[in-house]
Amino acid sequence: MMELHIEKDAHQMSAKLAVWIAEYIQEVLAKQDRFTFVLSGGNTPKILFAELVKSPLKESIDWEKVHFFWGDERYVPYEDSRNNAKMCFEELLSKVPAKPEHIHIMRTDISPEESAAEYEAILKSYFGESETTFDFVLNGMGDDGHTLSLFPGFAVVHEKEKWVTSFWLTIQDMYRITLTAPVVNKAACVAFMAVGENKAKVLKDVLEGETNLDLYPSQIIQPESGELHWFVDDAAASLLTL
């Protein structure tokens, strides 16, 4: 089942999601000794990260027990402003007491293929044959309906075996490294963020339209036994009838 959360604007939505995440982390850590968190790049998460590092919310999270991963990465050097890990470090990880050994970036100093294989090995060492993988996956959705680096019309959308892969994204003239649907759909909880009027049409099609994975890859993210949440603002939700 999908749960929809609608707030007035991006800031109110991010504030609500930040509190929701903090409470969820506390709930999970009351039952186990680690929390695995998949971060998302892009502009919308910056607002969320700014909320997570505000007091007193920041102090309510046991950051030393949180293990960080990435949903995808642009194959550019860490110093490049387009690098997702760089943004997450600047906006979140440099401002909380996370343990360096619990932060797992997708490397861009080795080949894309090597990076994907290395990352999958890290995930297998964490989750092995467990029925579930991450405790929480934060996803965004592009104006074209993509999520992670699962872009419309690309074979990566239909990957069935690999947990992590790399491919050449012609429209951006770069390699991308990405988690795939098989590993994300084994997560305990997935939350999408979508804000702005420019997301309204695609959000309606993704949530209310017919399934068309080649056109709207975000539709393939459907946790097998976990929770699915969409956090959106009024503008993005303006065409929904749910």
Side-chain angles (χ1 to χ4, degrees), residues 17-229:
L17 177 53
V19 171
W20 187 93
I21 289 172
E23 292 176 348
Y24 177 52
I25 292 174
Q26 293 166 11
E27 176 186 320
V28 172
L29 288 178
K31 298 178 289 187
Q32 60 191 50
D33 60 3
R34 75 180 186 195
F35 184 91
T36 49
F37 190 151
V38 177
L39 299 170
S40 175
N43 290 319
T44 307
K46 289 182 181 180
I47 308 173
L48 169 65
F49 296 160
E51 293 292 333
L52 283 171
V53 300
K54 285 182 181 177
S55 295
L57 196 61
K58 173 183 173 180
E59 289 74 25
S60 74
I61 297 172
D62 191 346
W63 295 102
E64 292 188 351
K65 293 183 179 179
V66 181
H67 296 239
F68 294 97
F69 302 85
W70 272 260
D72 70 330
E73 186 58 272
R74 300 176 178 92
Y75 188 71
V76 296
Y78 178 81
E79 297 76 20
D80 192 305
S81 61
R82 297 170 294 175
N83 186 278
N84 286 338
K86 176 180 173 65
M87 184 281 283
C88 293
F89 269 93
E90 291 177 346
E91 304 296 331
L92 175 66
L93 298 176
S94 65
K95 301 177 181 180
V96 300
K99 288 188 173 182
E101 62 267 30
H102 292 171
I103 299 172
H104 304 286
I105 68 171
M106 291 176 165
R107 292 175 60 186
T108 58
D109 61 338
I110 55 179
S111 76
E113 295 80 9
E114 290 174 314
S115 180
E118 179 182 275
Y119 214 71
E120 178 154 337
I122 292 171
L123 299 186
K124 291 291 177 69
S125 73
Y126 263 81
F127 306 118
E129 300 302 318
S130 173
E131 291 184 5
T132 58
T133 54
F134 309 104
D135 294 304
F136 182 66
V137 179
L138 178 67
N139 275 350
M141 181 185 69
D143 296 353
D144 59 356
H146 88 268
T147 190
L148 304 166
S149 284
L150 309 181
F151 285 86
F154 283 79
V156 65
V157 175
H158 302 283
E159 176 61 49
K160 296 291 194 294
E161 301 298 329
K162 294 179 180 178
W163 282 11
V164 189
T165 193
S166 65
F167 69 101
W168 178 257
L169 184 58
T170 312
I171 55 177
Q172 293 185 1
D173 196 33
M174 68 168 65
Y175 279 97
R176 302 287 291 237
I177 304 163
T178 187
L179 300 185
T180 62
V183 69
V184 174
N185 283 337
K186 289 183 178 296
C189 183
V190 177
F192 278 85
M193 300 177 71
V195 300
E197 187 178 359
N198 58 320
K199 299 288 175 69
K201 175 63 165 61
V202 69
L203 182 64
K204 179 177 177 60
D205 289 341
V206 166
L207 296 186
E208 298 182 353
E210 294 184 4
T211 300
N212 186 337
L213 303 181
D214 287 309
L215 193 58
Y216 303 115
S218 290
Q219 291 178 324
I220 202 169
I221 303 303
Q222 299 285 339
E224 295 171 7
S225 58
E227 300 177 13
L228 176 62
H229 297 262

